[in-house]
Amino acid sequence: WSSDVCSSDLILVNWNLGKRCNYDCSYCSPALHDWNSPHYSLEDIKNAVDQIDSWATGRGKTFNMSLTGGEPFIHPKILDILKIIKESKSFGDQLSVITNGSLPLELFEQSLEYITHLTISLHLERSESDIEKILNKCITLHQKFPDRWINVQVMCLPGKFDFIEQTIIPTFESNNKIGRAHV
């Protein structure tokens, strides 16, 4: 994990929760993802969060955290991890996770009990049916959790601009889920 101080009282912690990912995108380096790296144990994660918490508390600071990976939601204890972070004494007010959105909707719904900011990376190298499923999850999550910040970042190689303009943006606009589309 790394941290950046953005104010005298707040620490931002960006934590790569592991390399495991169920995707193999051409634009993602193999150094950042695989399917066989071990998961951090819940005990190790709790110890690390406790150290962050103790350090921040001892200095009168709070911390916000962002989890990345690999794919953080592949960790079998992700809900426990989110709870540990959120219940820390010096936790601030933002817990964000970046995901590829491929796991079950129910897992994302449960995670939003803890997460304040969810970024779903929509990978256009996937099949049209995968893309449609993830778009539908994004819309459903936004409808069910209007108080949560849900961001969709489109990940693609050159040549997909027309698909974004003709399919992705109209899907969100027709569901009245974005105020403005920026391409």
Side-chain angles (χ1 to χ4, degrees):
W1 60 273
S2 66
S3 68
D4 299 312
V5 178
C6 72
S7 77
S8 61
D9 297 329
L10 179 66
I11 302 160
L12 302 176
V13 179
N14 297 304
W15 190 346
N16 181 325
L17 197 54
K19 287 178 51 174
R20 277 210 189 182
C21 186
N22 56 334
Y23 282 6
D24 189 19
C25 301
S26 65
Y27 39 78
C28 186
S29 164
L32 299 175
H33 76 281
D34 64 32
W35 188 239
N36 53 14
S37 292
H39 293 294
Y40 292 115
S41 72
L42 189 59
E43 181 181 336
D44 287 346
I45 289 171
K46 182 166 178 14
N47 287 337
V49 172
D50 287 347
Q51 289 178 34
I52 295 166
D53 191 43
S54 176
W55 188 90
T57 300
R59 289 160 180 75
K61 298 180 182 292
T62 59
F63 72 90
N64 288 341
M65 188 172 288
S66 176
L67 298 178
T68 66
E71 171 52 54
F73 281 94
I74 286 179
H75 196 292
K77 299 289 186 180
I78 187 65
L79 295 174
D80 295 323
I81 294 166
L82 297 172
K83 183 177 181 182
I84 288 167
I85 295 166
K86 192 83 181 227
E87 292 179 350
S88 296
K89 287 179 276 187
S90 62
F91 176 75
D93 59 1
Q94 290 186 8
L95 176 53
S96 61
V97 180
I98 300 173
T99 178
N100 62 29
S102 66
L103 283 92
L105 176 63
E106 295 76 23
L107 181 58
F108 295 117
E109 290 173 337
Q110 291 170 343
S111 74
L112 286 168
E113 179 179 335
Y114 309 105
I115 295 173
T116 59
H117 295 72
L118 180 65
T119 296
I120 299 171
S121 296
L122 181 61
H123 295 274
L124 298 187
E125 287 188 337
R126 306 304 295 179
S127 70
E128 283 189 36
S129 66
D130 283 350
I131 293 169
E132 184 178 339
K133 287 176 190 173
I134 293 169
L135 285 172
N136 289 332
K137 283 180 199 173
C138 296
I139 291 165
T140 299
L141 289 170
H142 189 275
Q143 290 169 343
K144 287 187 171 184
F145 299 92
D147 62 327
R148 296 293 193 262
W149 188 83
I150 299 173
N151 180 54
V152 178
Q153 62 184 14
V154 178
M155 309 293 290
C156 66
L157 295 170
K160 292 288 188 175
F161 188 73
D162 287 343
F163 180 76
I164 294 167
E165 276 193 324
Q166 295 168 10
T167 303
I168 304 296
I169 292 171
T171 297
F172 286 119
E173 287 177 338
S174 69
N175 285 282
N176 198 24
K177 296 299 145 208
I178 58 173
R180 281 188 231 147
H182 298 280
V183 181

